[in-house]
Each structure stands twice: as structure tokens, then as C-alpha cells.
Amino acid sequence: MMPGQTMAMADDTLEFAGNMAIAAHVAPGAVLKDMAKNSEMVAKYGKDGGKNMAMMAVAAKKVGIEMRTMGDMASGLLDFENSIEAQMEAS
């Protein structure tokens, strides 16, 4: 459960994640397990009751990777973008 979230909201997020997984033809249990394994990331970046993180978990499973890997990839892209920006400013 995310900070400030009621039990009903948490149940709604779990149902949403399961339905998204089924629609994407990935195992709902694998999606929920990945979300639980990365609960710190879900708590830190979760919006709309964590539904954005449920979509991320489903997308990660769809391409065969873990949420953490996808998050690391996104961070790397941001670091690359910031590096380019810093180089442009230094020129």
C-alpha cells in the first residue's frame, strides 16, 4: 500500500494491475510480484494510486525485463540528456 492510500485504493490498484496484465497477455502474478519486489520504486514514483507503476510493471514483463531494469534504463536516459545539456552549456 502506498503512503496515504486506503485499503480500498490498494485493492483497486491490485485489480487494475491484474486486469492490465491479462489484457497484455502476461502473468498477473509475475506483475504483482515485480511490483512488490520494487515497492520502494512504486512508493517513490507511484501516481494515481500506483497505477502508473502497474502499467510500467506490465510493460516490463511484456518485453521480458524487470521493473528495476526499466527504471535504471530511464534514469540512464535522463543522465545522458543532462550530460548533453551540461556539455552544451559549457561550450
Side-chain angles (χ1 to χ4, degrees):
M1 197 159 59
M2 292 180 50
Q5 193 176 35
T6 66
M7 188 60 83
M9 292 166 73
D11 287 343
D12 183 50
T13 300
L14 290 174
E15 183 178 355
F16 177 81
N19 289 337
M20 289 288 297
I22 291 167
H25 305 289
V26 297
V31 169
L32 297 175
K33 184 177 180 181
D34 199 16
M35 289 179 71
K37 184 176 168 184
N38 293 288
S39 59
E40 287 182 24
M41 183 190 308
V42 172
K44 184 174 181 180
Y45 298 110
K47 293 184 177 139
D48 199 20
K51 290 181 180 177
N52 65 322
M53 299 308 288
M55 290 188 295
M56 179 184 180
V58 170
K61 287 297 173 205
K62 186 117 175 129
V63 296
I65 61 175
E66 300 280 325
M67 282 180 71
R68 173 68 52 204
T69 304
M70 189 175 276
D72 291 346
M73 290 168 58
S75 292
L77 290 173
L78 290 175
D79 289 344
F80 178 75
E81 184 178 319
N82 291 337
S83 175
I84 296 292
E85 186 177 309
Q87 288 178 3
M88 297 290 276
E89 289 175 4
S91 297

